[in-house]
Amino acid sequence: MKAEDNPKANSALKKDDLIVITGAGGFIGGALARYFREQGFTRIRAVDKKALYQWYQHVPGVESLCLDLRYEDNCKRACEDAVEVYNLAADMGGMGFIERFRVECLRSVLINTHMIESAYRAGAQRYFFSSSACAYNVELQKDPNSRALRESDAYPAMAERGYGWEKLMSEIFCQEYWAERGLKTYIARFHNVYGPWGTWDGGREKAPAAICRKVIEAKGTGAGKIIIWGDGNQTRSFMYIDDCLDGIDMIMHCDELIATPINLGTSHMISINDLVSLAERIGGTTLKREYDLDAPQGVAGRNSDNTFIKQALNWEPSTPLEEGLKKTYAWIEQQYEDRKAGKRTVS
Ligand code: NAD
């Protein structure tokens, strides 16, 4: 179901209202700019600190600004005349990045702090913040069979070091801007998002893209083996990008959800070993597995409890992992070939 068909997520947004999307040079922000453009919105401002040539997607008809949003003046510029603001900018990556660069992750608090104030001052009607399942109490995620996380499980707080605490603190900003200043804010806690146009190499990639790439590389080089981070028993759930976009749209336009953190993820939990098997099946190969027990692996088990989103929106992300991973694998394979051929690629 699309947001426009969902009576629980109705919006009075006009096609020429200005939508601002930050982090639009990256995976989800870039896909969101395309999503709104394809829905006929005519005024979309995409913002990212990366130079334009490094943006993953270029969406025709979208204003693209290169601004570092850790600085207040840049946030003011980004928010000028905004009706809706989607803040997806953050210095982030998969476990390999967030375990190693906790200061960089924490410093993203500057982005949300200045963006929400600028959105408020610009008179924006709605403000979206992309939080994360890393905001949940890590004590509840010590077993691969941990029960799925409910929204209330963020407290008592013991978030993932660095990245998770930044998300939790920024959520609090969103809640208080509503409570004290009446800015309508919306907070989605994303569980792993994957799909075409996502980071697939370079150190910031997440498990689905990394595993697809490793399978493709192993086939390409004939190495016949794959290195898995940890013992492979750790579990997660993975949401396809199209579900994430529909979810963002519905959450942002559901008045029941103002200032209320909500899970946005699938409730289908799978181990990393099984994810590797799936990628191998898609690639038509079987590889020898080697386990790097010293590599970053994050919590032992994490899944999304979707009771609340089903009740609030009568919807939950539902793209089967196999279907989404097939598309992702095919896209990464093409990227891999393009890179070998010396063409510019996303990474
Ligand atoms: P991404 O890294 O592809 O995109 C983030 C973008 O933000 C990048 O293009 C980066 O250049 C930009 N950025 C970083 N610092 C900036 C700054 N100071 N000023 C302007 N732009 C800046 O990541 P993504 O996967 O698209 O994630 C988008 C959002 O969703 C992030 O807030 C992330 O924390 C959140 N999230 C993502 C996932 C996931 O699985 N991808 C899971 C949970 C939460």
Side-chain angles (χ1 to χ4, degrees), residues 144-294:
N145 296 312
S146 300
R147 70 161 171 78
L149 295 158
R150 295 186 283 264
E151 285 75 3
S152 55
D153 290 329
Y155 297 96
M158 188 48 71
E160 188 111 28
R161 280 178 71 182
Y163 181 69
W165 281 102
E166 186 279 318
K167 292 296 188 192
L168 209 52
M169 189 61 210
S170 293
E171 286 189 3
I172 299 278
F173 269 85
C174 293
Q175 292 179 306
E176 298 304 352
Y177 267 75
W178 165 245
E180 223 175 276
R181 300 197 188 176
L183 173 63
K184 288 184 179 176
T185 58
Y186 300 84
I187 306 156
R189 291 187 184 138
F190 297 169
H191 292 248
N192 288 284
V193 188
Y194 72 97
W197 300 101
T199 311
W200 61 279
D201 201 2
R204 289 180 188 252
E205 65 278 17
K206 300 188 143 206
I211 289 169
C212 287
R213 187 202 70 228
K214 287 179 184 182
V215 171
I216 293 162
E217 274 171 356
K219 281 179 68 181
T221 60
K225 66 169 188 182
I226 182 166
I227 296 175
I228 297 173
W229 287 9
D231 60 10
N233 292 323
Q234 63 274 36
T235 53
R236 295 291 185 276
S237 73
F238 298 100
M239 168 171 56
Y240 190 59
I241 181 69
D242 290 0
D243 287 332
C244 180
L245 303 174
D246 287 333
I248 292 172
D249 191 357
M250 286 188 227
I251 289 167
M252 181 71 146
H253 300 113
C254 173
D255 280 343
E256 258 178 64
L257 294 176
I258 297 174
T260 307
I262 184 165
N263 278 332
L264 183 54
T266 73
S267 53
H268 171 220
M269 189 160 86
I270 179 171
S271 73
I272 295 299
N273 275 327
D274 288 347
L275 188 62
V276 172
S277 301
L278 185 54
E280 285 177 337
R281 222 167 38 243
I282 293 169
T285 186
T286 307
L287 302 168
K288 182 174 174 301
R289 298 183 184 193
E290 283 179 14
Y291 293 93
D292 179 355
L293 300 179
D294 296 326

Side-chain angles (χ1 to χ4, degrees), residues 37-338:
R37 191 74 187 108
E38 284 173 356
Q39 301 216 350
F41 288 93
T42 55
R43 294 181 68 214
I44 299 167
R45 181 179 296 146
V47 187
D48 203 287
K49 75 170 178 190
K50 286 194 290 213
L52 283 175
Y53 76 91
Q54 292 176 313
W55 289 34
Y56 291 180
Q57 300 205 52
H58 293 279
V59 186
V62 167
E63 177 190 6
S64 300
L65 300 182
C66 174
L67 296 170
D68 187 333
L69 299 170
R70 286 170 300 180
Y71 301 100
E72 190 173 9
D73 283 349
N74 289 342
C75 293
K76 283 186 188 156
R77 168 69 189 95
C79 289
E80 274 168 17
D81 300 324
V83 176
E84 293 193 347
V85 175
Y86 295 79
N87 180 20
L88 292 127
D91 212 347
M92 64 88 65
M95 280 321 300
F97 182 84
I98 67 175
E99 278 198 2
R100 177 143 178 246
F101 298 107
R102 294 193 290 269
V103 171
E104 273 80 351
C105 290
L106 281 167
R107 282 177 58 79
S108 291
V109 81
L110 295 170
I111 302 175
N112 191 63
T113 305
H114 294 315
M115 277 301 296
I116 196 168
E117 175 70 13
S118 302
Y120 168 72
R121 285 179 185 250
Q125 287 169 16
R126 290 166 195 258
Y127 182 90
F128 179 90
F129 176 66
S130 49
S131 186
S132 163
C134 291
Y136 284 115
N137 190 324
V138 290
E139 297 295 324
L140 300 171
Q141 305 171 66
K142 288 188 156 167
D143 187 287
N145 296 312
S146 300
R147 70 161 171 78
L149 295 158
R150 295 186 283 264
E151 285 75 3
S152 55
D153 290 329
Y155 297 96
M158 188 48 71
E160 188 111 28
R161 280 178 71 182
Y163 181 69
W165 281 102
E166 186 279 318
K167 292 296 188 192
L168 209 52
M169 189 61 210
S170 293
E171 286 189 3
I172 299 278
F173 269 85
C174 293
Q175 292 179 306
E176 298 304 352
Y177 267 75
W178 165 245
E180 223 175 276
R181 300 197 188 176
L183 173 63
K184 288 184 179 176
T185 58
Y186 300 84
I187 306 156
R189 291 187 184 138
F190 297 169
H191 292 248
N192 288 284
V193 188
Y194 72 97
W197 300 101
T199 311
W200 61 279
D201 201 2
R204 289 180 188 252
E205 65 278 17
K206 300 188 143 206
I211 289 169
C212 287
R213 187 202 70 228
K214 287 179 184 182
V215 171
I216 293 162
E217 274 171 356
K219 281 179 68 181
T221 60
K225 66 169 188 182
I226 182 166
I227 296 175
I228 297 173
W229 287 9
D231 60 10
N233 292 323
Q234 63 274 36
T235 53
R236 295 291 185 276
S237 73
F238 298 100
M239 168 171 56
Y240 190 59
I241 181 69
D242 290 0
D243 287 332
C244 180
L245 303 174
D246 287 333
I248 292 172
D249 191 357
M250 286 188 227
I251 289 167
M252 181 71 146
H253 300 113
C254 173
D255 280 343
E256 258 178 64
L257 294 176
I258 297 174
T260 307
I262 184 165
N263 278 332
L264 183 54
T266 73
S267 53
H268 171 220
M269 189 160 86
I270 179 171
S271 73
I272 295 299
N273 275 327
D274 288 347
L275 188 62
V276 172
S277 301
L278 185 54
E280 285 177 337
R281 222 167 38 243
I282 293 169
T285 186
T286 307
L287 302 168
K288 182 174 174 301
R289 298 183 184 193
E290 283 179 14
Y291 293 93
D292 179 355
L293 300 179
D294 296 326
Q297 46 194 298
V299 294
R302 175 180 290 159
N303 192 12
S304 176
D305 182 318
N306 284 351
T307 310
F308 181 47
I309 195 166
K310 282 193 280 189
Q311 174 240 308
L313 294 174
N314 201 16
W315 174 88
E316 66 178 319
S318 62
T319 304
L321 182 58
E322 181 154 8
E323 184 186 318
L325 204 69
K326 264 188 195 155
K327 292 182 188 165
T328 310
Y329 185 99
W331 179 81
I332 294 175
E333 200 167 36
Q334 185 61 52
Q335 288 275 301
Y336 181 78
E337 293 303 328
D338 285 352

Side-chain angles (χ1 to χ4, degrees), residues 5-22:
D5 303 325
N6 190 340
K8 293 191 158 210
N10 267 335
S11 147
L13 194 63
K14 297 195 289 295
K15 292 292 182 197
D16 61 350
D17 281 341
L18 180 65
I19 299 172
V20 172
I21 302 168
T22 73

